[in-house]
Structure formats: structure tokens, C-alpha cells
Amino acid sequence: MIVELRRYTLRKGRRDELIDLFDREFVETQEELGMAVLGQFRDLDRADQFVWLRGFTDMPSRRTGLTAFYSGPVWAKHGPAANATMLDSDDVLLLREIVAVPVFERGAADPEAVLHATIWYWAGPFADPTQIPDDAHGVLRTEYAANDFPRLPVREGEHALVWLTRSPLQADVPAEVVKTETLRLRPTRRSSLH
């Protein structure tokens, strides 16, 4: 599966407004068009960041789904209100699953749950990891296919490996890793990943 890791920087104090709108209007409407809304989160260390994961069967289905959604009636009606909450929506990693992101029952998230996302950046392409932690909720790596929906930019020229775990990642960082990012993410009420 192709997965977008999307991080939005929002206007001060407007994160809950976007989450309410997103959970109410943008989950099922994207899934009806063949996309998977895998998880929506509050970044616990950045009060004005909303993080979410969206999945696609492959790159052609990504283009088809995004075209249908962003030219459709739901985005036409609610997109301006969503965009009004945002300062930046272009911080996006285009990834491919190594270990599939699980899907749980939507609406069953523990309000105190935390998902840890650890991102290792490499100077160039790298081998898939051979050891996966037992508490991994997914492992993803950069998808190198060209972004065929340029209306939604993605970060290019990066080599990322993303670990999604229930607790902080317990793994030795390879010497070739040039940068590490860690995110502590609290699922929204309607997140299927929690």
C-alpha cells in the first residue's frame, strides 16, 4: 500500500476545529472513493500540528482517488473551511508499507493512547530493516514514484524510514542515518489506528 504521512501546521488554537470537521466530513467520503483514512492524530509536542495517514492501493489509484475527492462536492463544500485553519499542508512524506499499518475499529480509540512515529532519514536509498519490533504498528519507507497529483505536493529527494510503535522505538540507529525525528501522536476519537 502507498501511504501519505501528512503533517499540517495550523493557525493557533484551531486544531480541534479542523479535527471536528475532518472526522465529520472527510473520513467516509474519502473511503467511498477507494482511499483509506488510516489514522488522525494530535501531535502531543506541537500544539498546532495535525498529523494523519492516508493509504492507497497503488499510485494510479492514488491519482484517481485524489482527483475525485478534490474535484468533488464534499471538498467544494468543506475544503475552504479546512484550508482556513491551516498555515501549511505541504509537509508530506510519500511512503510504501514494509509492515502494513493495521486498521482497528473506528471510534474505539483510547483517549489516552499514544502512537510513536520515529522517522530515520538517510543520505541515500537503504535496505529494508530485517528486525521489526514486536510493538510495531507499521513500518514504511520512501516511495520513489513521481508524485502524479502535483496539486498536493510531497517532499521529494528524501530517503525516510518510518516506524510506528506503541512505545518509544527501542532500536539502534544505524550509522548511515543523518537525522531522526520523533512524534508522539494521540489519536482522534475516530482514528482507526490507535
Side-chain angles (χ1 to χ4, degrees), residues 61-78:
S61 69
R62 176 179 179 266
R63 183 181 60 249
T64 300
L66 294 177
T67 300
F69 182 72
Y70 289 104
S71 62
V74 173
W75 186 253
K77 181 175 181 180
H78 300 289

Side-chain angles (χ1 to χ4, degrees), residues 4-11 15 18-19 22 26 30 41-43 46-54 66 69-70 75 82-83 85-92 152-153:
E4 295 172 341
L5 172 59
R6 308 188 65 84
R7 293 190 275 179
Y8 295 172
T9 301
L10 306 178
R11 297 182 188 282
R15 180 165 67 183
L18 176 63
I19 288 170
F22 191 101
F26 297 150
Q30 291 184 79
F41 307 92
R42 291 172 174 87
D43 185 323
R46 297 160 192 89
D48 295 320
Q49 280 223 338
F50 172 66
V51 179
W52 66 292
L53 297 160
R54 174 168 53 191
L66 294 177
F69 182 72
Y70 289 104
W75 186 253
N83 284 336
T85 67
M86 300 177 199
L87 294 172
D88 177 45
S89 61
D90 294 344
D91 188 351
V92 180
L152 293 183

Side-chain angles (χ1 to χ4, degrees), residues 20-187:
D20 290 345
L21 176 63
F22 191 101
D23 281 358
R24 185 180 67 246
E25 302 295 344
F26 297 150
V27 176
E28 286 80 8
T29 53
Q30 291 184 79
E31 291 182 340
E32 288 167 3
L33 297 171
M35 298 174 276
V37 178
L38 300 169
Q40 310 91 260
F41 307 92
R42 291 172 174 87
D43 185 323
L44 291 177
D45 300 308
R46 297 160 192 89
D48 295 320
Q49 280 223 338
F50 172 66
V51 179
W52 66 292
L53 297 160
R54 174 168 53 191
F56 311 86
T57 304
D58 51 30
M59 290 299 289
S61 69
R62 176 179 179 266
R63 183 181 60 249
T64 300
L66 294 177
T67 300
F69 182 72
Y70 289 104
S71 62
V74 173
W75 186 253
K77 181 175 181 180
H78 300 289
N83 284 336
T85 67
M86 300 177 199
L87 294 172
D88 177 45
S89 61
D90 294 344
D91 188 351
V92 180
L93 290 174
L94 188 61
L95 306 163
R96 177 176 293 278
E97 289 178 324
I98 297 171
V99 174
V101 176
V103 176
F104 300 108
E105 181 181 347
R106 195 175 304 285
D110 175 351
E112 298 303 314
V114 177
L115 179 73
H116 296 266
T118 304
I119 308 170
W120 290 348
Y121 296 94
W122 308 64
F126 52 90
D128 289 350
T130 56
Q131 294 185 350
I132 306 297
D134 291 338
D135 71 342
H137 268 321
V139 181
L140 308 108
R141 63 174 296 135
T142 295
E143 167 57 49
Y144 291 106
N147 177 18
D148 57 3
F149 194 78
R151 179 175 166 189
L152 293 183
V154 300
R155 290 163 45 187
E156 297 180 346
E158 299 199 25
H159 311 281
L161 180 66
V162 179
W163 305 86
L164 303 174
T165 53
R166 290 186 298 270
S167 56
L169 181 65
Q170 302 296 314
D172 293 330
V173 180
E176 300 83 9
V177 171
V178 296
K179 178 180 157 188
T180 299
E181 276 187 283
T182 57
L183 308 174
R184 293 184 318 125
L185 305 173
R186 175 147 295 147

